Amino acid sequence: MKIAVLGMGTVGSGVVNVLNTNKNKIESLLGEEVTVTHVLAKNIDKARDIDLSGIQLTDKVEDIYEADIDAVIEVMGGIDNTYEIILQFLKNRIHVVTANKDLLAERIDDLVAVANENEVHLNYEASVAGGVPIIKTIENSLNANQISEVMGILNGTTNYILTKMTVDGWTYDDALEDAKAKGYAEADPTNDVEGIDALRKIVLLSRLSFNKKVDIKDVPSIGITKVESEDIQIAKNLGYVMKLVGIGKYSDSLSASVEPIFFKADHQLASVNYEKNAVYVIGNAVGETMYYGPGAGSLETASAVVSDLIDVLTTPVKGNFAPSEKAVIQNEEVEYQYYLRFNNDESAVKSALNDAGIGHELNNENDNVVAITEKVNKNQLDEALVGLETAARYPVIGDE
Amino acid sequence: MKIAVLGMGTVGSGVVNVLNTNKNKIESLLGEEVTVTHVLAKNIDKARDIDLSGIQLTDKVEDIYEADIDAVIEVMGGIDNTYEIILQFLKNRIHVVTANKDLLAERIDDLVAVANENEVHLNYEASVAGGVPIIKTIENSLNANQISEVMGILNGTTNYILTKMTVDGWTYDDALEDAKAKGYAEADPTNDVEGIDALRKIVLLSRLSFNKKVDIKDVPSIGITKVESEDIQIAKNLGYVMKLVGIGKYSDSLSASVEPIFFKADHQLASVNYEKNAVYVIGNAVGETMYYGPGAGSLETASAVVSDLIDVLTTPVKGNFAPSEKAVIQNEEVEYQYYLRFNNDESAVKSALNDAGIGHELNNENDNVVAITEKVNKNQLDEALVGLETAARYPVIGDE
């Protein structure tokens, strides 16, 4: 079997590495040899750590379109141009494995339609939570369930920053600098810290879990740039841990968002720390389950890519998962407990919440008035807070 | 499509429940209707909560052997008799889904050989960690990896007991009584508390992870009946949490066991509490991953059974996983840190461990001398402890 790899960055070289290191096992599963015959790279003259001898290295994808290959692995990133490239391979009836969440979050339904027309696989396990097997798990192992909720720590950079702020009491700025130094954050960390990366992943997870097309523009995203260490430390004393989570819920309607949420310390997601990822899935038969592991990394991500490769090369095409209806996202009715910190005195807070009929516990922490409310929806809360000066406001997931 | 369900206890009724409740989703995946046409039950006259109208209920399996069915679900339990029954269905070229760890841990290789001869599926997701999808995950999602270690909290009863002893400071006896009262422990809890149930599951996981036939008689099992709350509390103060784990490791040789182990509190398995299960898998590409959820329960286990059912009814038979070589289990060379509590004074302990060249930290906790050692193998430790009175000894999994 012959394959092409598009992109020879961190993940692309990891794929070649895994195919070499675990050659015997992989070939015993495939029943025959698998060879990378073509590699697309931006700079074909660049010195690389990895041995690409015998492989046709090109910077022109046109050299690969008509090649005699069984599958293509797309790990080059990019959206519009890469869309056209993947489309061409699908039309040529070549299976595609991709790790490209940026592209998929925008156009997965279009690509799947073409893949299904041409009866080829389009697999994307590595695009959500890196090495953690969550796409196949939802699709093939939780398929006896109706899923009511999927939520996850889907971005390692922000989880690293929040963990440093929680465990070590660091400020956001110091934790971000450290994440950059350790290679977890890019020079321009916008996509991570504004929650855009997590947003793309929760779009893909919600689509799969709830069988709806999800328009990324319908899903709000709040990042962590405005999170203050003060709130993290106050909440820690109260027994809560902040995580940036992508969350999708479905009952009568679908809600979806990315936002910082305080979890009770004994929630399974609360102990997922540093750069690790985890996805929590609730089904109507299985109940609560969680999947934990590395959200990024060369070999880690390649683990998912090569697993997809084995799948597309050995599994008959049954048609890729394709929801027919578009989701209507409604976040107004979702009820959460809330963590609220006020620049008001205790009596003002108490009477405002009491007047609105919102049960709550008040705490005085470091001269701050902090309330943990019962479950309310956003509109109720907005109304109750008119006239108060709210310094911080986060949903809380506690004892359900 | 027509199926038979053998056994109408907790899991069997859960299966019928899930097939009814999630009928639309399951049938859209199957592409056609699925009907339970036959049920085998011990007592066919028993009043049941579940509606079995239209289903042929029998206490004679012979009535089902020649029935026109596509798959059989075995959730009746038992070993020798059930082996013969499953064998007959496989020979009749009927796919089998089973949750029967007791049987599989003894005879899975024999059953798989017959299934492969007859080109039918033998699926067993529910037999390990209940609703947690771990069999398919190792087989289909971590398949690009060579797995070096698989370990798990595989028994909810003992995890509940140890959690009560850790969190609430209860004695073993009190925690066991509570587990019985809550329905987590059976009247005769031997299989759980002696680690036999976990043993069966680690045999299945090791076989799958390391591609070896594993003879259950080669794997030692230590339960929790001799665990004292004193050690749990002392270790808790030192930052460790006890879990009963099945563990298999493979490097040059294979080691496997079931035993109580102290985990550093920030290890992901340390926060898996009460009746929950979790499996930790380390692969050479993906690194460390964990899978968490319910290890038992009617609908929870049925989630895995019905997922297997969908799989056997929709996936072409490629041959069930069948290792060819028998594992040689060697536990002597495995190195762990150890928790040791002594009925000796500090100086005797210190000089014995120093003489043996075993690095350690000594602690005096509640008038006990407790050592946490560096990593040593069992023989080294046995030798070092000659002449000392060791009151407790447990492996420790800490910062690796």
Side-chain angles (χ1 to χ4, degrees):
Chain A
M1 288 171 172
K2 293 170 185 169
I3 61 166
V5 179
L6 314 183
M8 203 35 64
T10 307
V11 181
S13 56
V15 168
V16 174
N17 243 323
V18 169
L19 286 171
N20 287 336
T21 310
N22 297 339
K23 188 177 170 65
N24 290 346
K25 176 168 182 187
I26 293 163
E27 292 185 357
S28 82
L29 291 169
L30 293 175
E32 58 180 286
E33 207 178 341
V34 60
T35 312
V36 178
T37 56
H38 297 72
V39 161
L40 178 72
K42 258 189 236 162
N43 181 351
I44 58 174
D45 299 319
K46 185 176 166 186
R48 293 173 199 278
D49 285 342
I50 197 153
D51 180 16
L52 298 179
S53 58
I55 298 176
Q56 191 182 328
L57 192 63
T58 177
D59 55 6
K60 294 181 196 61
V61 69
E62 293 75 18
D63 294 345
I64 309 179
Y65 283 144
E66 301 300 325
D68 171 28
I69 52 173
D70 299 285
V72 64
I73 291 173
E74 186 276 301
V75 285
M76 59 196 276
I79 300 186
D80 293 333
N81 186 40
T82 308
Y83 175 78
E84 298 300 332
I85 290 172
I86 290 183
L87 207 64
Q88 189 60 53
F89 281 106
L90 294 174
K91 286 179 176 168
N92 291 354
R93 302 196 161 224
I94 304 295
H95 302 300
V96 173
V97 172
T98 173
N100 191 334
K101 56 202 170 276
D102 304 21
L103 166 56
L104 292 173
E106 307 261 349
R107 311 206 59 178
I108 187 168
D109 292 300
D110 300 331
L111 288 172
V112 162
V114 177
N116 286 346
E117 264 169 45
N118 289 280
E119 297 179 336
V120 288
H121 289 287
L122 175 68
N123 278 32
Y124 59 101
E125 181 65 77
S127 65
V128 178
V132 183
I134 187 63
I135 300 295
K136 251 185 239 177
T137 299
I138 293 175
E139 197 166 350
N140 298 334
S141 292
L142 300 177
N143 49 359
N145 290 266
Q146 291 173 47
I147 294 174
S148 59
E149 191 167 334
V150 60
M151 64 177 162
I153 296 169
L154 300 168
N155 180 271
T157 308
T158 46
N159 201 40
Y160 183 85
I161 292 170
L162 290 175
T163 302
K164 279 291 183 189
M165 292 175 76
T166 306
V167 175
D168 298 324
W170 289 15
T171 64
Y172 171 77
D173 289 332
D174 288 347
L176 174 60
E177 282 315 304
D178 185 51
K180 285 183 183 174
K182 292 225 163 57
Y184 296 135
E186 294 171 58
D188 176 1
T190 308
N191 276 352
D192 293 325
V193 298
E194 296 293 356
I196 299 165
D197 178 69
L199 173 64
R200 289 164 173 160
K201 293 163 179 170
I202 197 63
V203 163
L204 294 172
L205 287 176
S206 297
R207 171 185 178 274
L208 184 62
S209 298
F210 309 124
N211 192 19
K212 301 277 180 201
K213 295 180 185 181
V214 177
D215 189 333
I216 191 168
K217 293 189 290 295
D218 294 341
V219 183
S221 164
I222 302 172
I224 62 166
T225 56
K226 299 203 174 65
V227 173
E228 293 179 47
S229 7
E230 190 171 13
D231 291 301
I232 287 190
Q233 290 307 319
I234 291 171
K236 185 178 173 180
N237 290 338
L238 297 173
Y240 299 98
V241 178
M242 181 180 282
K243 296 292 172 189
L244 180 69
V245 291
I247 180 164
K249 294 188 188 205
Y250 187 77
S251 52
D252 297 325
S253 65
L254 195 149
S255 65
S257 64
V258 172
E259 56 194 310
I261 292 182
F262 279 121
F263 285 86
K264 246 196 125 186
D266 63 1
H267 193 287
Q268 212 62 28
L269 282 174
S271 54
V272 174
N273 282 327
Y274 299 103
E275 80 285 6
K276 298 294 185 181
N277 283 24
V279 182
Y280 205 83
V281 187
I282 305 179
N284 70 339
V286 74
E288 311 193 9
T289 63
M290 191 181 84
Y291 311 88
Y292 161 94
S298 176
L299 298 177
E300 294 85 346
T301 309
S303 167
V305 170
V306 176
S307 171
D308 267 354
L309 178 71
I310 296 168
D311 188 52
V312 305
L313 293 176
T314 58
T315 309
V317 179
K318 283 186 296 197
N320 300 280
F321 172 79
S324 49
E325 282 174 33
K326 188 171 175 303
V328 179
I329 308 281
Q330 291 190 310
N331 286 332
E332 294 70 27
E333 296 302 309
V334 185
E335 295 198 333
Y336 284 110
Q337 292 185 268
Y338 278 90
Y339 166 99
L340 306 166
R341 178 164 59 86
F342 295 98
N343 292 334
N344 304 90
D345 63 26
E346 193 169 323
S347 63
V349 171
K350 191 184 262 177
S351 71
L353 291 174
N354 282 343
D355 288 352
I358 297 176
H360 60 278
E361 281 183 19
L362 281 188
N363 303 273
N364 273 293
E365 298 270 339
N366 314 344
D367 295 327
N368 286 278
V369 176
V370 168
I372 305 286
T373 73
E374 65 179 347
K375 279 189 167 188
V376 290
N377 71 38
K378 285 186 183 178
N379 293 341
Q380 286 175 283
L381 189 63
D382 285 343
E383 272 180 45
L385 298 182
V386 171
L388 290 175
E389 203 182 324
T390 313
R393 164 184 173 164
Y394 297 104
V396 168
I397 294 183
D399 305 307
E400 304 292 288
Chain B
M1 289 170 172
K2 295 171 184 168
I3 60 165
V5 179
L6 314 183
M8 204 36 62
T10 308
V11 181
S13 55
V15 168
V16 173
N17 244 322
V18 169
L19 287 171
N20 286 337
T21 310
N22 297 340
K23 188 176 169 68
N24 290 347
K25 175 166 183 188
I26 293 162
E27 292 184 357
S28 82
L29 292 170
L30 293 174
E32 57 181 288
E33 207 179 339
V34 60
T35 313
V36 178
T37 56
H38 297 73
V39 161
L40 178 71
K42 261 189 231 159
N43 181 352
I44 59 175
D45 300 319
K46 187 175 166 185
R48 294 172 198 277
D49 286 341
I50 196 152
D51 179 18
L52 299 178
S53 59
I55 297 176
Q56 191 181 330
L57 193 63
T58 176
D59 55 6
K60 294 180 196 62
V61 69
E62 293 74 18
D63 294 345
I64 309 179
Y65 283 145
E66 301 302 324
D68 171 28
I69 53 173
D70 299 284
V72 64
I73 290 173
E74 185 276 301
V75 285
M76 59 195 278
I79 300 185
D80 293 332
N81 187 40
T82 309
Y83 175 79
E84 299 299 333
I85 291 172
I86 290 182
L87 208 63
Q88 189 61 53
F89 282 106
L90 294 174
K91 285 178 177 169
N92 291 355
R93 300 195 162 225
I94 304 295
H95 301 301
V96 174
V97 171
T98 174
N100 191 334
K101 57 202 171 277
D102 304 21
L103 167 55
L104 292 173
E106 308 260 349
R107 312 205 58 176
I108 188 169
D109 292 300
D110 300 332
L111 289 172
V112 162
V114 177
N116 285 347
E117 264 168 46
N118 289 280
E119 295 177 336
V120 287
H121 288 289
L122 175 68
N123 277 33
Y124 59 100
E125 181 65 78
S127 65
V128 178
V132 183
I134 188 61
I135 299 295
K136 250 184 239 176
T137 300
I138 293 175
E139 199 167 347
N140 298 335
S141 293
L142 300 178
N143 49 0
N145 291 265
Q146 292 173 47
I147 294 174
S148 59
E149 193 166 333
V150 58
M151 64 178 163
I153 296 171
L154 301 168
N155 179 273
T157 308
T158 46
N159 201 40
Y160 183 85
I161 293 170
L162 290 175
T163 302
K164 279 292 184 189
M165 293 175 76
T166 306
V167 175
D168 299 324
W170 289 16
T171 64
Y172 170 78
D173 289 332
D174 288 347
L176 174 60
E177 282 317 303
D178 185 51
K180 285 183 184 176
K182 293 224 163 58
Y184 296 136
E186 294 172 55
D188 175 0
T190 308
N191 276 353
D192 293 325
V193 298
E194 296 293 356
I196 298 165
D197 177 70
L199 173 64
R200 288 163 172 159
K201 292 162 180 170
I202 197 62
V203 162
L204 294 172
L205 287 177
S206 298
R207 172 184 177 275
L208 184 62
S209 299
F210 309 124
N211 192 19
K212 301 278 180 199
K213 295 181 183 179
V214 176
D215 189 333
I216 192 170
K217 294 190 289 296
D218 294 342
V219 183
S221 164
I222 301 172
I224 63 166
T225 56
K226 299 202 173 66
V227 173
E228 294 179 49
S229 6
E230 190 171 14
D231 290 301
I232 288 189
Q233 291 307 319
I234 291 171
K236 186 179 173 181
N237 290 338
L238 297 174
Y240 299 97
V241 179
M242 181 180 281
K243 296 293 173 190
L244 180 68
V245 291
I247 180 165
K249 293 188 187 204
Y250 187 77
S251 53
D252 297 324
S253 66
L254 194 150
S255 65
S257 64
V258 172
E259 56 194 310
I261 292 182
F262 278 121
F263 285 86
K264 247 197 125 182
D266 62 0
H267 192 286
Q268 213 61 29
L269 282 172
S271 54
V272 174
N273 281 328
Y274 299 104
E275 80 286 7
K276 299 293 186 182
N277 284 23
V279 182
Y280 205 83
V281 187
I282 306 179
N284 70 337
V286 74
E288 310 193 9
T289 63
M290 193 180 84
Y291 311 88
Y292 162 95
S298 176
L299 298 177
E300 294 85 347
T301 309
S303 166
V305 170
V306 176
S307 171
D308 267 354
L309 178 70
I310 297 167
D311 188 53
V312 305
L313 293 176
T314 58
T315 310
V317 180
K318 282 186 297 198
N320 300 281
F321 172 78
S324 50
E325 283 175 32
K326 189 173 175 303
V328 179
I329 308 280
Q330 292 191 310
N331 286 331
E332 294 70 28
E333 296 301 310
V334 186
E335 295 197 335
Y336 283 110
Q337 291 186 269
Y338 279 89
Y339 166 99
L340 304 167
R341 178 165 58 87
F342 296 99
N343 292 333
N344 303 89
D345 63 25
E346 195 171 321
S347 62
V349 171
K350 190 183 263 177
S351 70
L353 291 175
N354 282 343
D355 288 351
I358 297 176
H360 60 277
E361 281 183 20
L362 282 189
N363 303 273
N364 273 293
E365 298 270 339
N366 314 344
D367 295 328
N368 285 280
V369 176
V370 167
I372 305 286
T373 73
E374 65 180 347
K375 279 190 167 186
V376 289
N377 71 38
K378 284 187 185 179
N379 293 341
Q380 285 173 285
L381 189 64
D382 285 343
E383 270 179 47
L385 298 182
V386 170
L388 290 175
E389 204 180 325
T390 313
R393 165 183 171 164
Y394 296 104
V396 169
I397 294 182
D399 306 307
E400 303 294 288

